[in-house]
Every structure is written in C-alpha cells, then in structure tokens.
Amino acid sequence: MPTSLLPRWALLPVVCVLAACAPAAAPPASGGAAPATQAQPASKKVLNVALSSFLEGFSIASGSSTGGGRFSYIELHSQALFTSDKTTGRPIPRLLAEQPSIDNGGLKLTDAGGMIATYKLRPNLKWADGAPLTTRDLMFTYKVQRNPTTPVFDSGPMKLMDSASAPDDSTFVVNWSQPYYLADAIGLRAFWPLPAHLLEQDYTTLVEEQKDPTAWFAKPYWTSEYVHVGPYKLVDYVPQVHAVFEAVDDYFLGRPKIDRVVMRQFNDKNTVLANILAGSIDLLSDGVLDPDQALEVQRRGELGKIYFSTGTTRFISFQFDSATPSFRPAVLDKRVRQGLYSAIDRATYAETAAGGIPNTAAFALLPPDNPLYSFVKDGWKDRYPYDVNRASAILADAGWHKGADGLLANAAGDHLKFELRTTVDMERWLPIVGDMWRQAGVDLDLYVVPAPLVGDREFRQAFPGGEITARGSQDSILTRLELSESPTAANRYSGNNRGHWSNEQYEQLVRAYRANLREEGRGQAIKQIQDLLLDEMPFLLMNYDVSNVFARKGVAAYQDDFAGGSESGRIYGTFGRNAHEWDIVD
C-alpha cells in the first residue's frame, strides 16, 4: 500500500574526512563518565556513543522529548513490528515475517468502512533474557497502550485500533476503525512491544487492581533491568552517567559485530563536541550536535564522517488552556498570532539556527523531501511574508498600538506581554525571535527550560505563553494539534498537544487524511489542513532542522543505510535501526 515517505532529500552532501583520528578510548575532555573500556579484554570491540542529554529510562516510561539524542538509539536495544528500508525510507517488516498489503491479503477493507490487518511474527523470536516473544506479548502491549494512563509517544495509531486478537502464537490481528495509511509502518513510537512474562503480573496487580500506574512505572524494569529484543541488551545503567549494552549472541538478524556499546550521557552539546575533538566518542546520532557544531567537526578534519539530512520541523506554539498559571489571553486572538508571525524574519532565523546552511526555513507544513510537498509548497511564505509594516497593521486591527515607550498596548493600557520559552539545547536561538518581537513592541519575557526539566512532561505542558519547540518529522507534526493528544494527569501528561488547542474541523480533516490510501487523495487533504492552519495559526512554522550523525574514522556505520533512516521523531525507522551491522574496523 502507499506510504507517506519516499527517498529523503539531501540537504548537504556526505563529507568524509580522511585525516587520522585519535583512539576511541582516550579520556573525555570534560564531564560525563569515563568510557567503560579499560576493564574489557583487548579483543573486545567497544563503541562509545554520546547523548547531549540525560536518559531518564527506556521504552514508554522514558520522557517524550527527542532532544539531545534521547530517542536516537532506541533500535539499538529495542525492535518494533516495522522499521525502514536501507535506502528508500519505506517501511519494511522487522519483527514480522512479511509486509502486510492489500495485494497479499494482509490488509483488508471491510464493508463497514474499517480495515483488518494481519501481522505475522517471525519464527523463533526471543527477548534478551531468552524467553520467546509471541503474540501474548503483543496482546499485552495492546492492553497496556489502550489504557489512558499509559504514556504513548505517537498515540494516533492506537486510537484507531478498535480491537485486537491473537489466533495463534505468531498471528496478531488488528481491527482498525478506518483505513489507515500507516498500518504497515508502525514503529516503536506508536507500538512498543512489552514482555508479558516480566510485566503482566505486576501490571494486573498495580495498575488494574490497585489503580496505581505510578508504582508500576517505578519498577526497575524501565531503567536498570530493561529487557527487549534488540541487538544489544542493557547490562549497566547509571542515571545521568551511562548505559552499557552487550551484544545479544542469538539476535534474530545475527550476532552484532561490536561486543559492547557504552552510551555516555552529557548535560550539554558543547561537552559532547569537546569529547569528539578529544577522540573519546566514536558515534553520534541525530539530535546530539547542533548543525554549526557538526560543521566544526567537519572543518577540523580530525575524525571521520558527518552526514546531514532533513530533520524535525520546528515552530512556535502557543498556550490555549486559560487555566494554565500566568496565562496571557492576548494570544487567543488569531490576529495577534498572525501579526507576530509576520514580524519574524524566518529566513534569517532558519539560517542562524542551521549554522549558516541556507534554505532551511519552513514555508510549508511538510518538508521538501515529502512526496506531498507540491500540495503545500510555500503556503506559509505566500500567506505571511516577512513584513514589519504588515505585522503592525494586523496587530493594530486586533487593538494593539505602539505607545511612546515603543510597547504595544490596548485601549485599557495593558501591554501585549507574555513569556516565550524553549529548552536549554535551543537557548541561543531564543533571543533571535525575542529581538524581532521586542522591535515589534511586544513586552516579552524569555525563559530557558533547564536540562533537568526537559523530560518533565507535566512541567512542559504548562507553559503560559509561547514556546519554540519541535514535533517529529514529516507529517508527525499533525499530532501536535490533535485534541486526543492533549496532555492530562490521566495520561501522565504524555500527549503531544502541549498547547491544548482544539478545533473540530481540524480533527475531521486529519482523520480524512489518514484514511486515504491514495497519494493524490492525501495530497488534497493535507492542502486543506494547511489552509485551515494558515487561517487559525495555532503554531508558527519556523525551520526544518538540519539533522546530522557522525562516525569516526574506523567505525563502519551509516555508510549504506543513512538515506533510508530518519531522525527519531518519525514513527518508524531511526538511523540506528541496523546497529547489528555496525563494526569497528581499525
């Protein structure tokens, strides 16, 4: 069946640096844990990878933010029903024996307007502790993720699943409420398989009987005792220091070539960069370095290969929940949001955010490498060009005029005042927007979310004004505005709609988009969605991230499969999906 992703757009060519590099076991330049290599036999192959953030845990218990590489390595230790093809980015089966489709009968449309999908597991799958993985585990996962108290990173697919059954140990059948264009592309973000033999008994007791999901998620399984079915298994976990993984000898795709992977956690990107230049980091995935830092590694010519691609879509979101502490109602007027957008020079902002790389401003709901891009191309640029005079006129129409102090005020004399925030990894970009809006007359407070709070879902969803943020890649951005994605105490604040926006027409259009199995039909639907967003402006598109990954000289990774992978915001297929093939050859 058709899918929404085709071969990716290369923002920059892959660059290979041929200079010799320092050995991987060199001591770190500053911060973080020392590489866990000294105690290993000389014959062991040890790979040091880095995060520029802290890893709170694993699977659905971890924070939902992808910043700092938190999700970049999930397929190193965990596997989903689907991942992505090496070069095209199209979904392919991973835990499954075959790709379900209309042609082979794996996907069947029903007379009632729904769809039945049959998923057949590979034979002889095992969890890292040796227990067999069967459809009992998938049924348990379905039950857990249907529970509204369970945090799910991409809950859209689960909400379309009416029921599930397991006719035998290898057959998993899902009844979808409607045709769903990504029924053959469900990755870990939407359906993270859980081991029933380790979790089901406690789930029954703690969650179903005692109604205490917090106690269940406090179990060591989610941190120090994590078990899954990936090529590497967790053997040591020290919060905010490192996570150490050993190769799984009987991994179903073959034993990994590297024996041990040490995932080192740093609290900022500059420390990661210093360690790269010192030669103590072997591998990076997306979200760990900013583009200008990656360009510096490339220019220094000291280490290996840097790969660039289109990453997540960044935007400014507003808070629509008036019950939020310190809420400012002025942003509820869409004319205010429209005027603020016209006051931002997005091209300048995007080039600065991308470290000088041009043509990364987001002028459409989908990035240029999406096959539906032609339906939405330049929509935001054409409707809201950068024009400070136009911005002033729109704000004046909304009742906001500049006073002698240069600040916008309404007839009651109240200033147009609110807070704009972002996370610590985007701190240096916050003043760019701040300066532009202050010049327009906004009485603006800037706030940077500190690293320890980046993964705090309850705190993050209570921003009072606006936030510079991101949401996945490609059409994952749609989940940012869905009502069902609103974070609440009941779902442990896991929803993506942190701004709590609600619009029934939007809900209908998104449902129609996802139910259309034909590319042309989805293109028309995404155009309608973009037109609505251009009218309502619940968020302001800013730029497409320049994603980058790095492999030092002598590390065989990413060479033949980078084009088919994705930054970790996509629903399936990260850059680390083929970690079992990585090798150290020097």
Side-chain angles (χ1 to χ4, degrees), residues 483-496:
L483 180 60
S484 62
E485 290 283 340
S486 294
T488 64
N491 64 19
R492 296 171 61 86
Y493 302 100
S494 63
N496 296 309

Side-chain angles (χ1 to χ4, degrees), residues 67-78:
R70 287 176 182 82
F71 270 61
S72 301
Y73 304 102
I74 54 177
E75 289 180 282
L76 179 141
H77 52 66
S78 305

Side-chain angles (χ1 to χ4, degrees), residues 10 31 42 59 98 130 151 157 198 233 251 326 341 349 382 389 415 421 430 468 474 491 541:
S59 185
E98 63 180 4
L198 296 177
K233 60 184 177 182
Y251 178 57
S326 302
Y341 194 50
Y349 171 88
D382 294 341
N389 292 326
H415 286 162
R421 65 172 56 174
L430 189 61
I468 302 177
Q474 306 294 333
N491 64 19
L541 289 184

Side-chain angles (χ1 to χ4, degrees), residues 312-329:
T312 189
T313 301
R314 296 198 179 272
F315 49 87
I316 298 174
S317 179
F318 292 98
Q319 182 61 257
F320 293 87
D321 183 0
S322 60
T324 304
S326 302
F327 176 77
R328 295 286 180 167

Side-chain angles (χ1 to χ4, degrees), residues 133-154:
L133 187 156
T134 70
T135 52
R136 174 196 170 195
D137 301 298
L138 302 187
M139 288 299 296
F140 172 63
T141 303
Y142 176 80
K143 178 172 69 171
V144 171
Q145 297 197 183
R146 290 283 289 185
N147 189 321
T149 67
T150 301
V152 180
F153 305 119
D154 281 296

Side-chain angles (χ1 to χ4, degrees), residues 58 73-79 192 226 228-232 245:
F58 300 95
Y73 304 102
I74 54 177
E75 289 180 282
L76 179 141
H77 52 66
S78 305
Q79 296 293 285
W192 200 306
Y226 183 67
H228 213 266
V229 68
Y232 292 91
F245 301 86

Side-chain angles (χ1 to χ4, degrees), residues 312-482:
T312 189
T313 301
R314 296 198 179 272
F315 49 87
I316 298 174
S317 179
F318 292 98
Q319 182 61 257
F320 293 87
D321 183 0
S322 60
T324 304
S326 302
F327 176 77
R328 295 286 180 167
V331 298
L332 295 180
D333 187 337
K334 67 180 181 181
R335 293 171 299 177
V336 171
R337 304 192 297 272
Q338 292 167 350
L340 291 174
Y341 194 50
S342 295
I344 300 174
D345 183 349
R346 278 94 71 188
T348 297
Y349 171 88
E351 188 165 339
T352 303
I357 298 171
N359 303 320
T360 60
F363 293 131
L365 191 60
L366 300 176
D369 61 336
N370 191 287
L372 304 181
Y373 177 68
S374 62
F375 291 91
V376 294
K377 180 180 179 181
D378 289 341
W380 296 69
K381 182 179 181 179
D382 294 341
R383 182 74 174 272
Y384 297 102
Y386 169 55
D387 186 334
V388 292
N389 292 326
R390 184 169 184 258
S392 295
I394 296 173
L395 290 168
D397 182 62
W400 298 95
H401 302 270
K402 274 190 179 183
D405 58 0
L407 296 176
L408 292 164
N410 60 15
D414 298 322
H415 286 162
L416 180 56
K417 179 181 178 65
F418 60 92
E419 178 194 274
L420 179 66
R421 65 172 56 174
T422 194
T423 52
V424 65
D425 59 322
M426 294 183 63
E427 177 178 4
R428 62 198 180 90
W429 302 331
L430 189 61
I432 302 173
V433 178
D435 289 345
M436 293 177 185
W437 278 356
R438 283 170 175 157
Q439 289 178 22
V442 179
D443 187 359
L444 196 66
D445 293 325
L446 302 181
Y447 174 74
V448 178
V449 178
L453 290 177
V454 170
D456 187 327
R457 292 187 288 251
E458 182 176 1
F459 175 80
R460 293 289 303 280
Q461 63 88 37
F463 67 96
E467 65 167 353
I468 302 177
T469 186
R471 175 64 199 131
S473 63
Q474 306 294 333
D475 63 2
S476 294
I477 194 173
L478 298 177
T479 65
R480 177 64 192 219
L481 298 172
E482 290 181 89

